[in-house]
Amino acid sequence: MRKLGMLPADPILVRIFKQESELEIWKRDQTGRYALLKTYPMCRWSGKLGPKTREGDRQAPEGFYHVSAGMLNPNSQYYLSFNLGYPNRLEDALGYTGDALMVHGACSSSGCYALTDEGVAEIYAVAREALKGGQRAIQVQAFPFRMTPENMAKNRGNPNFDFWMNLKGGHDVFEVTRRPPKVSYCSGRYVFDARFENGEPADPLAACPPMATVKNPAVASRAEADWLAMEHLLSASATLSAHAYADGGMHPYFRELLARIGPEELSKRTSMSSVPVSRPEATLADTHVERE
């Protein structure tokens, strides 16, 4: 933090990428913009790419969430954790069900993001100090994958593509401005960095009311360039294909460790209470590698 011109009390933002099994912590620096503080390998997430919609579907949430101090759990059965706040107001309006979706320790998931006890200890401490320093809520952005034209092209035929394009709007705002986007809900979708003539929409499913702002030209340019790059990739290649998951994913570092030392030893290395690794056979059957 010192090298990056940051203080422990400065606000943070969290980004999660399922396919890459990575969690990023970004922190506001002296310029007022956010800079990457650290990237953590994720030991386990469950389900497939796509949003969580119902209790018991094993899906880890995708979307935009806000974590306040009361959502930190220092007495978690998975060492330390914080609640993502799923379902958010949009998801609740859409009828999505489920609760207690967490970022926590160990290497076990049934809808949560598990980052080992050691990893979550750092993440928890950074989040706690930012909230103690005055940040009202930490924005958590959970994506299916890094929102590159290549990944969007590979997943163009997925039923969740329109939803992912909606998420990409918020992703692009942060990529361009290095500031957390303001998140609103209307027309059954997320709306980013919008000011409305008569205040925030009350019903997330109702049509969006008139807006008092126009889209940031730099953000719009980024979105258009990525779309054109995706279309070029689709027209130029017949070999693009999305990865199908058996049951969630694991960062390549941990998957190699699992294959080498086995699930019992990995559970000891990732959890002080030796929480079992969830569905290790599904993880080892997954042939996905980061370079695909």
Side-chain angles (χ1 to χ4, degrees), residues 114-172:
L115 285 114
T116 79
D117 286 6
E118 181 181 9
V120 81
E122 283 193 14
I123 296 164
Y124 186 97
V126 173
R128 180 194 62 212
E129 294 307 305
L131 291 166
K132 281 174 59 178
Q135 185 172 10
R136 290 181 56 193
I138 297 163
Q139 186 174 109
V140 179
Q141 306 174 359
F143 299 107
F145 39 69
R146 295 194 177 276
M147 310 299 274
T148 64
E150 293 80 7
N151 282 335
M152 299 303 291
K154 287 179 180 180
N155 291 277
R156 182 65 179 88
N158 191 290
N160 294 301
F161 183 80
D162 287 346
F163 168 68
W164 291 338
M165 284 299 297
N166 186 207
L167 295 186
K168 189 176 183 299
H171 171 275
D172 290 350

Side-chain angles (χ1 to χ4, degrees), residues 149 153 226-236:
D226 282 359
W227 182 266
L228 292 174
M230 181 195 73
E231 288 192 322
H232 173 74
L233 287 166
L234 288 169
S235 63

Side-chain angles (χ1 to χ4, degrees), residues 88-96 163 166 184-191 196 200-209:
N88 62 27
R89 199 157 66 87
L90 173 60
E91 292 162 334
D92 186 57
L94 290 169
Y96 293 177
F163 168 68
N166 186 207
S184 305
Y185 318 102
C186 55
S187 295
R189 299 169 62 83
Y190 292 99
V191 180
F196 299 89
E200 284 295 301
D203 183 354
L205 303 185
C208 290

